[in-house]
């Protein structure tokens, strides 16, 4: 269709579908060059991208109980998929083509171990004015902070007016995410170690899952397998586990989040940061990596587990950001 779609009308459609904020951007927008090839593979006629976000509960993300964090992520993902589904149907009913890519895994397995996701939701969200990237490489919404899930809808509609990035970054530069990261992936100078983050956070996905399967196949018997993989780790394979959202958990940015931090910064450190730093848990690293050195030096209560993460994408590419 050649008719231009009114942004105000589309925004209401998205809000009615369940989005808590939304922005629109043309596919050719500067900063999205790396998305064009993959977006057009999914929907060749794509002209515009619709970025949507939903809130996630802060208490779940800040819990020391990994099951609470994973429950929140697993709750947010289908919500975002359902929102994308509803928006796509609404556009389809108006004569437009629309497609909503997976918010997270599964991925396009034929492209692994390179980029496997259809669209990287984070740069789309930034270009569409939903926030800016903090040094933890998560999008910080000016109102909701880091506690958001992101999704994207592709469409052949031309939307007017498009949104633009917000003109300030909500990131406080407090470096709490640096202190919380168990693998030292986030650095004070703004640099980021993609492989360390990926290896630990997505230990049960893609290459890391393959590493577990290979370990099982290489074991000579049950006793040998038991020396390599603990019973608890075997049990965890029955459900995907996101290993670390600590960078999100400790982030105090965002109008709805920052109040308690400003009122009592030391209290925030003691109540939110310290329990995560002291939590006994497995931390998954590549042998001899900076991550291994970091966790052994900084986190005496955590257990180093060496895994083979395989060949990962370059540092400037983010993994599929399931709930951030």
């Amino acid at each position: 269709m050649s008719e231009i779609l009114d942004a105000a009308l589309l925004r209401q459609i998205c809000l009615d579908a369940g989005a808590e904020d939304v922005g629109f951007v043309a596919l050719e927008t500067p900063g999205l060059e790396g998305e064009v090839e993959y977006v057009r593979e999914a929907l060749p006629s794509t002209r515009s991208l619709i970025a949507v976000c939903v809130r996630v509960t802060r208490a779940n993300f800040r819990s020391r109980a990994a099951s609470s964090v994973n429950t929140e992520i697993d709750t947010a993902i289908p919500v975002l998929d359902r929102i994308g589904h509803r928006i796509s149907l609404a556009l389809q009913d108006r004569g437009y083509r629309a497609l909503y890519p997976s918010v997270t895994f599964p991925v396009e397995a034929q492209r692994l171990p390179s980029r496997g996701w259809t669209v990287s939701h984070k740069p789309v969200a930034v270009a569409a004015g939903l926030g800016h990237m903090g040094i933890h490489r998560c999008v910080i919404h000016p109102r909701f902070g880091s506690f958001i899930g992101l999704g994207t809808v592709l469409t052949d509609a031309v939307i007017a007016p498009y949104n633009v990035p917000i003109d300030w970054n909500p990131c406080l530069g407090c470096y709490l995410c640096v202190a919380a990261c168990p693998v030292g992936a986030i650095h004070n100078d703004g640099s980021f170690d993609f492989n360390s983050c990926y290896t630990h956070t997505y230990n049960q996905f893609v290459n890391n899952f393959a590493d577990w399967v290979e370990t099982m196949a290489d074991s000579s018997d049950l006793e040998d397998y038991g020396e390599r993989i603990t019973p608890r780790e075997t049990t965890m394979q029955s459900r995907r586990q996101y290993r670390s959202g600590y960078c999100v958990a400790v982030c105090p940015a965002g109008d709805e989040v920052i109040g308690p931090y400003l009122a009592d910064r030391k209290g925030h450190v003691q109540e939110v940061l310290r329990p995560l730093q002291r939590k006994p848990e497995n931390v998954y690293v590549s042998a001899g990596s900076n991550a291994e050195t970091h966790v052994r030096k900084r986190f005496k209560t955590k257990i180093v587990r060496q895994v083979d993460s395989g060949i990962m994408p370059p540092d400037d590419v983010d993994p599929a950001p399931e709930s951030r």
Side-chain angles (χ1 to χ4, degrees):
M1 293 180 63
S2 59
E3 180 183 352
I4 295 177
L5 184 57
D6 178 65
L9 171 63
L10 181 55
R11 177 177 178 81
Q12 192 58 54
I13 290 172
C14 296
L15 296 178
D16 290 345
E20 299 196 62
D21 200 2
V22 61
F24 316 117
V25 65
L27 179 58
E28 295 79 12
T29 298
L32 299 182
E33 294 86 355
E35 304 303 311
V36 174
E37 174 186 352
Y38 302 100
V39 166
R40 286 185 173 154
E41 177 185 331
L43 185 66
S45 61
T46 299
R47 295 177 178 175
S48 304
L49 304 174
I50 302 169
V52 300
C53 81
V54 297
R55 292 178 297 162
V56 297
T57 61
R58 296 193 290 274
N60 271 60
F61 252 89
R62 288 174 172 170
S63 175
R64 279 172 35 114
S67 59
S68 296
V69 181
N70 281 280
T71 295
E72 183 62 21
I73 293 173
D74 286 341
T75 299
I77 288 171
V79 168
L80 284 160
D81 286 335
R82 186 162 58 250
I83 290 169
H85 173 74
R86 290 173 176 170
I87 294 171
S88 297
L89 283 178
L91 290 172
Q92 178 178 287
D93 290 343
R94 287 166 172 78
Y96 299 102
R97 294 178 182 176
L99 177 148
Y100 63 104
S102 172
V103 170
T104 180
F105 298 94
V107 297
E108 296 298 304
Q110 76 279 3
R111 293 205 298 258
L112 295 174
S114 183
R115 167 177 167 146
W117 48 95
T118 298
V119 60
S120 187
H121 307 289
K122 296 178 186 180
V124 176
V126 170
L130 294 189
H132 272 301
M133 299 276 270
I135 65 169
H136 56 358
R137 293 307 192 276
C138 296
V139 175
I140 303 177
H141 189 277
R143 178 181 170 190
F144 308 134
S146 294
F147 295 89
I148 58 173
L150 297 172
T152 308
V153 176
L154 321 179
T155 180
D156 62 359
V158 175
I159 303 164
Y162 287 117
N163 296 98
V164 296
I166 61 175
D167 57 7
W168 61 287
N169 193 329
C171 182
L172 303 176
C174 63
Y175 301 116
L176 289 173
C177 55
V178 177
C181 182
V183 293
I186 311 166
H187 305 146
N188 285 346
D189 63 3
S191 59
F192 182 73
D193 183 347
F194 174 91
N195 284 349
S196 292
C197 176
Y198 185 99
T199 300
H200 176 60
T201 305
Y202 297 91
N203 178 59
Q204 286 182 273
F205 297 92
V206 196
N207 293 11
N208 303 116
F209 176 77
D211 180 54
W212 171 71
V213 173
E214 290 170 5
T215 299
M216 181 169 55
D218 287 343
S219 300
S220 58
D221 53 30
L222 183 60
E223 181 179 356
D224 182 27
Y225 173 80
E227 292 177 355
R228 304 183 190 206
I229 304 292
T230 66
R232 181 168 51 188
E233 289 173 303
T234 299
T235 301
M236 287 179 177
Q237 299 298 328
S238 64
R239 178 185 178 186
R240 62 185 179 188
Q241 302 277 330
Y242 297 95
R243 298 292 177 186
S244 179
Y246 297 174
C247 54
V248 171
V250 300
C251 181
D255 289 347
E256 292 190 357
V257 185
I258 197 170
Y261 172 75
L262 293 179
D264 185 3
R265 300 188 185 196
K266 290 183 179 179
H268 181 87
V269 169
Q270 292 301 319
E271 294 175 14
V272 180
L273 174 64
R274 294 290 184 239
L276 298 177
Q277 289 178 319
R278 295 166 180 163
K279 177 183 175 180
E281 62 182 327
N282 291 339
V283 178
Y284 296 88
V285 301
S286 298
S289 63
N290 291 334
E292 181 176 6
T293 301
H294 181 85
V295 67
R296 291 190 187 280
K297 180 180 178 180
R298 297 290 301 274
F299 298 103
K300 303 302 183 182
T301 60
K302 301 187 189 296
I303 302 167
V304 173
R305 299 288 287 170
Q306 295 178 345
V307 294
D308 180 8
S309 61
I311 301 173
M312 291 293 99
D315 288 355
D316 60 349
V317 178
D318 284 324
E322 68 293 332
S323 69
R324 306 228 257 282

